[in-house]
Amino acid sequence: MIGEAGVAARDRQLVLGLGGTVDFELRWDSAVVERLARELRVRRHELTPSAPITDERSLLVTILAFVAAGTGAERFVASSEILERFAGHFAYDVTLGGTGVRAGLVLDSLGIPSVQHLVSIDDNVRRLLPSTITVLSSATHDTLDPHLIVQYPVGATVRLVDGDIVSPAANRLIFANDPPNREMVIAEGLADALATASAFLISGFNTMQDHSLLEARLDDIARALPRLPADALVYYEDAGFYTRAFAETVRGRLLPSIHVYGMNEDELQEYVGHPVNLLDAADVTRALEEVQRIIPVPALVVHTRYWAIAVGPQSARHREALESAVRVAATRYRVGDGFTPEEAAATASMPQHSGGAQLVAEVEKSITDAVGVPAFSLDVAHPTTIGLGDSFVGGFLAVHAVEGARR
């Protein structure tokens, strides 16, 4: 077990959950994609982001649909074998994923230790997880169900027999079939870990697909949450729910305990049910007000490629955390994994996105309690688009790690 309440302030810790993943990060290669499209006879008119993914062909159709739109997403696949076969066509890197794990890796880069709740483990996790991260796991044996990560650059071009696909923006796609994360077994030691926490990150329920099991896991979290110190921060990061109705179940159970509720631009648009022009202040203001009515929390944080904005009665206290989060995510974008505190500090002097800065100023005037930070405008030959939202969360929590140590 990891301590009891009442420990010295210096022993306060960040607890990150709830599940981690082993990721196969594809190295984008348009020539390989075109070859597969020819072999599988994929046509442009077939492209759709919402059809079931049951084989390599339907996986490719889905990928190309998102590339054509320049958007990101997370989708369920019928089996892990489909993902492993598809990955075998490309060069790829084996990395660790999951919001909690990537946030923990960012914190490690900044010299901040954390406690990571895991539901699966194998030799990849043991090899790649830094020693500064204390593992709290519910896994009883080793398993490997890789997540396929596809990041594509702006201008990626794929020639199909009936027309070309050209990506209007860089983005990332996640595909998975992960039984341990669908079951999301909560470790017995979680409540004890929370007793000494300065902050608790909740994420990962989006992969669950059994409603009764989801309710049981939410019961487990509800029993553990009272062990948190009264001044601890609870941060909930939304994600692409495989079963969208489950997001409402999670909100219904956890919303009273959440201090900060985070989401990215794709999830914002899912909630409001229509596209949002991220550089139009009136459009963004309407979307923020609409999603705030759905999710009434002390601080609702939306992070996008152009800006990050918090709305809600407690938003003002998180300005420093927003600045840290945007800076850290931009550092990952330009440097990739394993950056140094000095590299993160250097990002602060780089140019901010002018359109994002203007939008933030206008939204802060329109919404009384809005607090915003523009993103950085970076010209990077080979940017990292995977894990930027997770890095944002890590940068946000880094500020609360320091605050927790001062208490």
Side-chain angles (χ1 to χ4, degrees):
M1 303 302 177
I2 312 177
E4 291 294 335
V7 297
R10 66 179 179 275
D11 294 325
R12 297 288 293 275
Q13 61 200 2
L14 297 171
V15 180
L16 313 174
L18 294 162
T21 66
V22 173
D23 293 345
F24 288 178
E25 295 186 11
L26 293 194
R27 299 178 191 171
W28 179 264
D29 188 329
S30 291
V32 174
V33 176
E34 287 180 4
R35 175 178 60 79
L36 290 173
R38 286 196 305 272
E39 292 175 357
L40 297 172
R41 299 182 180 181
V42 173
R43 302 293 188 269
R44 185 182 175 89
H45 73 271
E46 298 179 274
L47 304 187
T48 174
S50 57
I53 302 173
T54 57
D55 54 22
E56 287 187 82
R57 188 180 192 280
S58 53
L59 174 58
L60 181 60
V61 165
T62 303
I63 290 171
L64 291 175
F66 283 113
V67 171
T71 55
E74 187 165 348
R75 291 290 184 268
F76 177 74
V77 178
S79 74
S80 293
E81 289 74 17
I82 295 170
L83 301 177
E84 293 185 45
R85 288 197 302 271
F86 190 84
H89 297 290
F90 297 81
Y92 63 89
D93 299 310
V94 179
T95 63
L96 300 182
T99 297
V101 171
R102 282 214 180 92
L105 294 174
V106 163
L107 291 164
D108 173 71
S109 295
L110 299 174
I112 300 171
S114 60
V115 176
Q116 178 65 56
H117 182 283
L118 298 176
V119 295
S120 59
I121 197 164
D122 78 326
D123 285 341
N124 291 295
V125 178
R126 297 184 186 95
R127 173 172 54 88
L128 296 172
L129 206 62
S131 60
T132 59
I133 298 179
T134 300
V135 173
L136 177 65
S137 177
S138 62
T140 58
H141 59 281
D142 283 18
T143 55
L144 175 60
D145 293 283
H147 290 215
L148 181 73
I149 313 295
V150 179
Q151 63 173 349
Y152 56 87
V154 62
T157 302
V158 179
R159 290 182 290 272
L160 303 180
V161 295
D162 58 345
D164 292 352
I165 299 297
V166 181
S167 63
N171 220 311
R172 66 90 182 100
L173 305 167
I174 303 173
F175 300 95
N177 184 319
D178 189 337
N181 275 283
R182 287 206 304 278
E183 296 171 7
M184 198 60 71
V185 176
I186 306 301
E188 292 182 1
L190 178 61
D192 288 336
L194 294 184
T196 57
S198 62
F200 177 34
L201 168 64
I202 303 175
S203 66
F205 283 126
N206 60 300
T207 62
M208 297 192 69
Q209 294 178 299
D210 182 310
H211 193 266
S212 62
L213 197 58
L214 173 63
E215 291 278 12
R217 301 308 181 231
L218 290 168
D219 287 341
D220 293 336
I221 296 298
R223 283 190 290 268
L225 281 173
R227 295 289 300 280
L228 275 169
D231 60 350
L233 179 85
V234 177
Y235 188 117
Y236 177 85
E237 181 69 7
D238 205 302
F241 273 76
Y242 294 171
T243 305
R244 195 66 212 170
F246 286 13
E248 185 174 350
T249 299
V250 175
R251 291 199 309 275
R253 295 290 302 277
L254 295 183
L255 216 55
S257 301
I258 295 170
H259 302 113
V260 178
Y261 193 113
M263 67 178 67
N264 66 22
E265 60 200 66
D266 298 320
E267 291 137 18
L268 169 68
Q269 291 171 109
E270 281 192 29
Y271 273 113
V272 300
H274 57 78
V276 177
N277 183 340
L278 298 175
L279 291 176
D280 182 290
D283 208 16
V284 169
T285 296
R286 284 191 295 270
L288 290 173
E289 291 174 337
E290 187 174 344
V291 78
Q292 192 177 17
R293 287 192 291 270
I294 300 170
I295 308 172
V297 287
L300 175 67
V301 173
V302 179
H303 45 93
T304 79
R305 71 191 74 182
Y306 303 119
W307 45 261
I309 295 176
V311 293
Q314 295 297 316
S315 294
R317 66 169 290 210
H318 300 298
R319 181 180 290 278
E320 184 182 356
L322 283 177
E323 291 172 346
S324 171
V326 169
R327 183 172 63 253
V328 166
T331 304
R332 177 175 173 83
Y333 179 84
R334 71 182 186 85
V335 177
D337 286 323
F339 55 81
T340 66
E342 291 75 21
E343 287 171 322
T347 300
S349 64
M350 295 180 179
Q352 293 180 316
H353 192 281
S354 58
Q358 181 178 346
L359 182 134
V360 165
E362 293 180 19
V363 170
E364 286 182 337
K365 290 178 182 177
S366 299
I367 302 177
T368 304
D369 55 17
V371 172
V373 177
F376 290 88
S377 181
L378 304 175
D379 185 9
V380 180
H382 301 288
T384 298
T385 57
I386 299 169
L388 297 182
D390 305 333
S391 299
F392 178 95
V393 174
F396 191 102
L397 293 176
V399 170
H400 291 280
V402 174
E403 289 181 355
R406 291 172 181 160
R407 295 185 185 119

